[in-house]
Amino acid sequence: MREHHESLRASVRRGLEKLALEQDLSDSTPIPPERELMERFDVSRGTLRSAIGDLVSAGLLRTEQGRGTYVNKEAQARLLVWDRLADVARPDSRFHDDYRQFVPDFVGRDACDEAVQNLAAWKNAATVFIAPDNSLGGLRLLALEQGKRVLVPTYGLRRGFVLLEADLIPPEQRPLAATLDGMESLGTCVGVAAVPEFIDGVDLMVSGAVAVTTQGIHIGSESRYLAVELAVLTQLELVSHRTPLIVTAHDCQVLEVDMELSTVSCVASTVVTPTRVLHCGAHTGRARTVSRTDERRVLRLVNAAIDEEVS
Amino acid sequence: MTVESEQSIQQYREQVWGELIKIARPDSRFHWDFSRFIPDFPGSDRCSDFVMGLDAYAQLGDRQIFVTPDNSTEDLRRRLILDDRPFLMTTYGLRRGFVLVDPADVPPGEARYAATLDGADHYGRALSLSELAAGRPVGMLVTGGSAVSRNGIRFGKGHGYFDFEWALFSELGLVDGGETVIAVMDDCQIIDTDLPGEPHDVVVDWIVTPSRCAGTGRGPRGPGAIRWDLIPGSEFEELDLLDELKEVLDMGQE
């Protein structure tokens, strides 16, 4: 009996997942009501609710009391794009093809780097924040070759930032400095709170993405590192709402959809793919909202870092 | 392995990790989580000097050298590239099989890059198991680890990759018991006692630390065999390499 319930629950879960993934990305209406789903899957309310509960914990669905069950659009976008990445993504040295853990490098990325180089925001920047995404190794190297200072967070900001300075890294070591494995030994490790002692400000932010919309809405990993990093740098007064954010991605990661901004944290000023450059100026005014949860994480991070440095 | 010895090994491991965290270098992805990687430590360059100073290294001839993808063996990989000596390694957790890093593929000045795991992905060549099996025998295996006893019983992160890799080499006929197995460790990773070990443990011949190079005087080794009975339910079950291994071994029997 119990086993039967478990397999039924799993099959309803798969059915719901399919239903969620097939909903239009710009459609923010709830999924059909319980009664209708119970009929469709021919199951009891209890089984349906446990299956919904599974997908709520997995982050794909969210239930709003008295209103219904909704698809989390960011989670849906991630699942859609992860499915497409296998053909174009390059594996990570630790995480292989587990795209939940990292933003992969991709086929055609050289063309992206070329296009970024030609943007005024890049040309004018002396200090660049570049996310620790595998797709940005080329730009980290390029920035060093062009004499820029590069600020890279360690994974998840767990050990603060690394500051790479072209002057301090011999030319033949720059390809290594541009990798995650090399940057810490060739750059300066800087605690979160100490960053303002090293730089006056960040002129440009560059990030990869799991997915990005044509309006520039950035969808990162579930942990939303970019939002946290952005909030930390804002808190430290190193970036402002005018600091440009360039997001690079493979064309298959770009979603042609007008998604709602409410649950999203960062908006790009420019999106660059191997074939396109999209200027997303329209959104900069209401860009970079930081959710309450992210805000709390930021405060915790900054405070922990300050405590550590004081003690 | 008995539950009791499993417990005491985990105790040793955690005891060593408590010391290791004081000196270890964090990993770019896993930070300080020693259950997921073997860290590098200050003085690992002196370990490379010891390894490359061994008679066994000088006498390798055309036999190959295998180095695990641990951070503590990164400096040795750099030195091997500079010494113009190709080496075999695995991808992390064996998930994408074996890799050959050939110094001929590494541009001048980039040995240090090629020695990292990110660099091995860039400059290494993926080797299928049939290519590996058709290659020259392996005369030396160098591994990091969490801890090693005085008599050469070594523990890794707790997954058993190195024991599996050696057994695989044995099944493919690449090692014959005459190979030299070396553990590269910090001094704080040595457990100052003799441990009984288990039949499938690969007892190391040399324990190399920044301060010394000690032989363990182990007895005869092998032949090794893949413990197929231990694979169901383990993380090895998911490896693409297993299907390839079954094919290669079947071919060998015909």
Side-chain angles (χ1 to χ4, degrees), chain A residues 91-98 101-102 134 154-159 171-173 175-176 179-186, chain B residues 26-33 36-37 71 74 91-96 108-110 112-114 116-119 121 123:
Chain A
D92 179 68
S93 62
R94 316 291 199 281
F95 301 124
H96 309 291
D97 57 358
D98 184 0
Q101 312 273 355
F102 74 106
N134 290 3
T154 56
Y155 247 48
L157 213 54
R158 280 271 302 278
R159 289 176 290 112
E172 75 278 7
Q173 297 293 359
L176 174 60
T179 68
L180 296 186
D181 277 348
M183 68 177 189
E184 285 177 60
S185 61
L186 291 163
Chain B
D27 182 69
S28 61
R29 315 297 202 277
F30 304 131
H31 308 291
W32 307 103
D33 183 357
R36 303 182 74 183
F37 78 105
N71 292 0
E74 183 182 307
T91 51
Y92 177 84
L94 267 168
R95 284 271 303 281
R96 286 177 288 130
E110 297 198 8
R112 193 170 152 196
Y113 177 16
T116 64
L117 296 194
D118 285 345
D121 260 349
Y123 291 117

Side-chain angles (χ1 to χ4, degrees), chain B residues 191-209:
Chain B
I191 299 163
D192 195 20
T193 184
D194 288 349
L195 291 176
E198 296 288 328
H200 62 264
D201 281 333
V202 182
V203 182
V204 310
D205 299 274
W206 294 94
I207 299 170
V208 174
T209 74

Side-chain angles (χ1 to χ4, degrees), chain B residues 3 27 58 89 124 162:
Chain B
V3 175
D27 182 69
M89 64 189 282
F162 184 68

Side-chain angles (χ1 to χ4, degrees), chain A residues 173-214:
Chain A
Q173 297 293 359
R174 288 177 191 158
L176 174 60
T179 68
L180 296 186
D181 277 348
M183 68 177 189
E184 285 177 60
S185 61
L186 291 163
T188 311
C189 297
V190 183
V192 169
V195 179
E197 293 165 28
F198 289 83
I199 56 172
D200 297 332
V202 169
D203 305 315
L204 166 68
M205 297 185 69
V206 185
S207 179
V210 175
V212 63
T213 72
T214 42

Side-chain angles (χ1 to χ4, degrees), chain A residues 14-31:
Chain A
R14 279 192 297 275
L16 285 168
E17 192 177 272
K18 187 159 178 283
L19 188 124
L21 289 181
E22 281 170 0
Q23 189 181 52
D24 201 286
L25 266 175
S26 57
D27 180 355
S28 53
T29 59
I31 61 170

